């Protein structure tokens, strides 16, 4: 059928076997589709121990994936949920993936086995900071459970580097030029959901309750009231790229004894974007340092650029949180210490971990180390996020998101909120500070995190961006497709390439 040059999954000898993962549990209601999100940790690496303090085994970012069926008959693949990129593509090349064994353990889509595929003849390259993929665009049928959309443009991987799973991008287009309707656009235009909105509830690896709900909200998964935050206009952001940017108006730290420090009112107003494909958060240097200096036991490791926490076991259930304030004090997300650290899948007996934050003064991002504590509704139609403290209280109450400006309900979660801090001193982020504690372990070699594709760094398009007029639509659907392209509003769009912050820069 299609002359795609598929790179086969080549499993190198000697790689550890990977246990099968649970598949997504998908439920569908009137106007919404809920898919459980599987937290996938990087497979342990076979490695030579080079030194006593072996941080190399901390190469274990967590990826968040859902199962999506592609083609006719449906072929199920797992895709990373990425709010930092807009496109869907399948079939990474495994022998050059950064986690070859895990990649090879995942099913791949066979285009020759699908009767609904239509080729476009258009190829593109999507570039991430660490890793890239060359794709060929095809039209396909995509299903999430029983929710099906047809004639969706997706990429089929021809070649890729450093990416172990396909990606389901859910961000707006970075530069507002729509080359084709994305999955969320098509779900709305084909009436699977009422408007372009979804909820994201990421949890730690040990908690299977995480979910993405297209077109819906689960009020049983948060405490307090969902607070509406406008998505910043591209002109208000540091790079001009259209992403899920909001204003971070305060940062604080609540210690296990209940005392708390936070930035004074109006001290900061930092645009940050929410990126589920990023293992870590990246914040302006002064905030990074203030967090590291006040996080109990954290020691700055100049070599890797990370704060190291020598004994992470003390963090579990400590009651301490790293606190993020939005819209003044209206929305507060308190990230438990144990969720904020980046814990190794393969640490063996080591109790060390790294703080899940790095400095970034150019394009700050809140990644998974923040999102695990937040319940977030992403509403593209109204350019708003709605955010509340994630919680688990055994309840499930799925509410469909309708249409119009108040489509996302300002719902109150069914779960009980946690205790609030007892005092509030100042967290000083006025100037960068020297680390108060430095790491004295022997030269750790930290390599890049291997979770999702990472935070988006640049809006630069790479070569071969698809042009709708260049897409060879299936005969009977060309009109529909063009109509759909015309219907995509400004601010969404397509195409693009994401350049992700290259964490290797921090590795020496
Ligand atoms: C993709 O990444 C690989 C490995 O870093 C590199 O050799 C290759 O040139 C990249 N390809 C593109 C198109 O950027």
């Amino acid at each position: 059928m299609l002359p795609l040059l598929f790179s086969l999954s080549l499993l190198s000898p000697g790689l550890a076997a990977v246990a099968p993962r649970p598949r997504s549990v998908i439920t569908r209601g009137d106007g919404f589709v809920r898919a459980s999100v599987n937290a996938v940790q990087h497979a342990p690496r076979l490695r030579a121990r080079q030194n006593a303090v072996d941080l190399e085994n901390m190469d274990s970012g967590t990826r968040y994936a859902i199962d999506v069926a592609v083609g006719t008959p449906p072929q199920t693949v797992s895709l990373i949920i990425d709010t930092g990129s807009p496109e869907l593509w399948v079939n990474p090349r495994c022998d050059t993936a950064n986690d070859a064994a895990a990649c090879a353990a995942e099913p791949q889509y066979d285009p020759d086995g699908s009767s609904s595929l239509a080729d476009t003849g258009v190829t593109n390259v999507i570039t991430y900071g660490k890793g890239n993929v060359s794709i060929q665009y095809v039209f396909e049928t995509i299903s999430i459970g029983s929710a099906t959309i047809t004639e969706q443009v997706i990429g089929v991987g021809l070649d890729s580097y450093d990416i172990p799973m396909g990606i389901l991008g859910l961000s707006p287009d970075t530069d507002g030029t729509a080359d084709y309707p994305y999955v969320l656009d098509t779900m709305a235009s084909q009436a699977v959901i009422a408007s372009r909105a979804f909820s994201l509830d990421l949890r730690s690896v040990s908690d299977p309750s995480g979910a993405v709900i297209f077109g819906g909200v689960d009020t049983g998964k948060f405490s307090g009231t969902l607070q509406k935050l406008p998505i910043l206009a591209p002109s208000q952001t540091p790079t001009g790229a259209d992403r899920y940017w909001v204003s971070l108006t305060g940062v604080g730290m609540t210690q296990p004894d209940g005392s708390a420090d936070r930035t004074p009112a109006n001290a900061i107003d930092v645009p940050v974007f929410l990126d589920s494909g990023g293992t870590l958060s990246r914040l302006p240097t002064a905030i990074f340092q203030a967090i590291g200096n006040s996080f109990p036991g954290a020691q700055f490791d100049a070599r890797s650029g990370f704060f190291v926490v020598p004994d992470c076991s003390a963090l579990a259930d400590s009651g301490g949180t790293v606190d993020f304030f939005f819209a003044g004090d209206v929305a507060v997300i308190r990230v438990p210490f144990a969720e904020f650290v980046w814990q190794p899948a393969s640490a063996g007996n080591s109790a060390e971990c790294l703080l899940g934050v790095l400095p970034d003064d150019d394009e700050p991002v809140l990644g998974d180390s923040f999102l695990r504590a937040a319940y977030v509704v992403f509403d593209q139609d109204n350019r708003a996020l709605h955010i509340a403290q994630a919680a688990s209280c055994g309840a499930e109450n799925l509410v469909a998101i309708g249409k119009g400006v108040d489509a996302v309900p300002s719902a109150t979660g069914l779960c009980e909120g946690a205790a609030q801090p007892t005092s509030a001193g100042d967290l000083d982020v006025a100037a960068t500070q020297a680390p108060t504690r430095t790491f004295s372990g022997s030269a750790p070699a930290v390599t890049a995190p291997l979770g999702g594709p990472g935070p988006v760094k640049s809006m630069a398009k790479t070569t071969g961006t698809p042009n709708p007029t260049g897409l060879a639509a299936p005969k009977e659907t060309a009109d529909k497709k063009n109509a759909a392209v015309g219907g995509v509003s400004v601010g969404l769009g397509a195409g693009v390439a994401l350049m992700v912050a290259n964490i290797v820069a921090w590795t020496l």
Side-chain angles (χ1 to χ4, degrees), residues 311-367:
D311 184 2
C312 260
S313 60
L315 301 178
D317 303 317
S318 70
T321 55
V322 184
D323 306 329
F324 295 90
F325 299 80
F326 303 88
D329 279 359
V330 174
V332 187
I333 303 298
R334 301 186 192 278
V335 184
F337 284 169
E339 302 292 357
F340 195 69
V341 294
W342 179 27
Q343 288 177 302
S346 54
N349 295 327
S350 166
E352 283 164 354
C353 55
L354 307 177
L355 275 199
V357 60
L358 283 171
D360 190 327
D361 292 302
D362 299 326
E363 195 167 30
V365 57
L366 292 172

Side-chain angles (χ1 to χ4, degrees), residues 125 127 132 161-162:
V125 177
T127 304
N132 58 57
Y161 293 87
D162 295 328

Side-chain angles (χ1 to χ4, degrees), residues 195-391:
S195 58
R196 296 174 308 162
F198 63 96
S199 299
L200 188 63
D201 181 18
L202 301 183
R203 300 291 169 122
S204 55
V205 172
S206 58
D207 180 348
S209 70
V212 57
I213 305 171
F214 296 96
V217 178
D218 184 351
T219 65
K221 292 295 186 298
F222 58 91
S223 63
T225 302
L226 281 173
Q227 298 294 340
K228 184 174 183 175
L229 308 175
I231 297 173
L232 300 180
S235 61
Q236 298 171 285
T237 72
T239 59
D242 195 9
R243 310 203 181 284
Y244 293 120
W245 288 98
V246 293
S247 282
L248 177 69
T249 53
V251 175
M253 182 85 57
T254 301
Q255 301 295 341
D257 67 6
S259 67
D261 290 330
R262 62 154 297 180
T263 49
N266 306 317
I268 66 168
D269 187 354
V270 180
V272 290
F273 73 93
L274 271 51
D275 183 13
S276 64
T279 297
L280 305 168
S281 296
R282 298 164 170 277
L283 295 169
T285 304
I287 296 176
F288 161 77
Q289 291 174 333
I291 289 175
N293 282 343
S294 48
F295 195 98
Q299 303 174 355
F300 185 65
D301 175 40
R303 181 148 182 219
S304 66
F306 280 98
F307 279 91
V308 175
V309 181
D311 184 2
C312 260
S313 60
L315 301 178
D317 303 317
S318 70
T321 55
V322 184
D323 306 329
F324 295 90
F325 299 80
F326 303 88
D329 279 359
V330 174
V332 187
I333 303 298
R334 301 186 192 278
V335 184
F337 284 169
E339 302 292 357
F340 195 69
V341 294
W342 179 27
Q343 288 177 302
S346 54
N349 295 327
S350 166
E352 283 164 354
C353 55
L354 307 177
L355 275 199
V357 60
L358 283 171
D360 190 327
D361 292 302
D362 299 326
E363 195 167 30
V365 57
L366 292 172
D368 297 334
S369 58
F370 165 83
L371 287 170
R372 278 191 285 273
Y375 193 94
V376 186
V377 187
F378 297 78
D379 179 357
Q380 282 195 9
D381 275 0
N382 294 301
R383 292 191 63 87
L385 302 186
H386 298 252
I387 194 165
Q389 181 79 37

Side-chain angles (χ1 to χ4, degrees), residues 17-21 105:
V18 176
R21 296 190 298 99

Side-chain angles (χ1 to χ4, degrees), residues 82 84-85 126-131 163 243 273 275 277-278 282 360 363 452-459 497-504:
D82 185 18
S85 68
I126 302 176
T127 304
Y128 302 83
K130 183 166 172 44
I163 305 173
R243 310 203 181 284
F273 73 93
D275 183 13
R282 298 164 170 277
D360 190 327
E363 195 167 30
V456 176
K457 194 62 180 173
S458 154
M459 59 182 287
L498 355 144
M499 314 288 258
V500 180
N502 191 346
I503 200 155
V504 169

